Amino acid sequence: MAESAAALPGRTDLLMSFDPRTGEQLAQYPVQGGAEVTRAVRTARATQNWWGELDFGERRSQLLEWRGHIARHSGELVEILRDETGKPEADAALEVMLAVENLDWAARNAERALGRRRLRSGWFTRNQYASVGYLPLGVVGVLGAWNNPVFTPMGSIAYALAAGNTVVFKPHEITTGVGLWLAASWSRVVPDHPVLQAVTGDARTATALCGAELDKIAYAGPEAGGREVIAQCARSLTPVVVEHSGKGSMIVHVDADLDEAAEAAVFGAMANSGQNATGIQRCYVADSVFDDFLARAADRAARLRPGADNRATYGPMINADQIDVVRTQVRDAIARGGHAVLGGLDSFRDPYVEPIVLAEVPEESLAITGEGIGPVLVVNRVSDLADAVTRVNAAGNGIAVTVFTRDIVSAEFIAAQLKVGVVTVNSSTAFTGIPALPFGGVGEYGQGHSHGQQGLHEFSRTMSIARRRFRAPVRLSTFDRRPGHLRLAKAAFWLRHGR
């Protein structure tokens, strides 16, 4: 699927793809510009006329056929994913399975979430039949992420397609092969209708896509990139769905099962080399159990081993630029008074980073305020739950917070005070395996939602319809209304609301 230099005579503007484990070049792809992007969007616009006019059942059948094709050929996708990200086979396979689960859920539940349904009329409009339904937006652009290049964009692609939109997908330049495989797999199932297309390139291609005549853009990635996408789309008033990078927090109460909490914290911080936006960046632990929890977490983290083989716990840093970001955060945390319980600045063996556990890190440190994408866990002491909530909300960057406590009532009370999109209780990242559960950021972290019914609504427009069923006995919406009708309406209004 990759185009070689020989296949592009006279063209030197190529994108190189590399294996992060070895630095070996995998493929070359064209950097597509405005003309190619415009052509893809026009094709998507023409195809959307066909796709959007299918009923929910017909679209469900096509999407489930695509789901089956991906599942049957998942070994191919896993290998491309491993080559481009360096993930161990288990991590790559899990990512593909979760993405397929989302596709399956979106296909099966689109009609229930978006289909037309009747609404109750008001007291004065009993002669009206009211209903609401949701229609496709049209053409959606998706800008893919590099850390989970199948699961993350599928949270937009699957839901946009199920809602009746066509999609132009620009995978991240580091993981271009994954994006091309997804688009090609669709064309094998429905060869005559390019409902899903992929365009290849770098930031210039993304800029061209933001400037194309799209009905919505979905972006996942660093905060700086999200701001740039928002600014570019603002010029054409194109709405956006944004999910920023950076991980969430964990709160450990005095009554928590410390073994389970430590296990969840380490997995949330270190899985995928810490490159999961739904993972855990920092733990706020009650003072009385702080030392015990820290020892257990450090002991678990010390058992992990990054590497290139399938027996490794996690793989390399996928984006080489991110290594310096993590190194800077660790250096800043130590310089400000935090101490390394496990690892430290000697943990960097490019392209791998050994597990790092930091404790008592000042809240103004980059390791807390920055977008934490790396195998680093910060453990800080708090006096009580209120202190933990204050610190989590102050740090921001929260798509998810995990609370470990045996008191479920307290957990739900805490959840209501946290300014985040998702709260999990006594587990860390397992919620990503629930397709029906929507998640999204708050404030600077993100705009909009992915997954679940809200994810389907993100890529739909509301169409409300009201029709008169019979002539109203009390006619108010006319200049010919009778005085007696108005008196009757006022009396009814008083009886209903004024007593």
Side-chain angles (χ1 to χ4, degrees), residues 20 84-87 146-149 174-175 272-273 275 316-320 351:
E84 292 191 325
T85 66
K87 294 185 180 188
W146 52 263
N147 53 337
N148 288 299
I174 293 176
T175 54
N272 192 25
S273 194
Q275 300 167 113
M317 298 297 289
I318 301 168
N319 187 340

Side-chain angles (χ1 to χ4, degrees), residues 268-283:
M270 312 289 179
N272 192 25
S273 194
Q275 300 167 113
N276 289 328
T278 55
I280 294 171
Q281 183 174 352
R282 50 201 179 271
C283 287

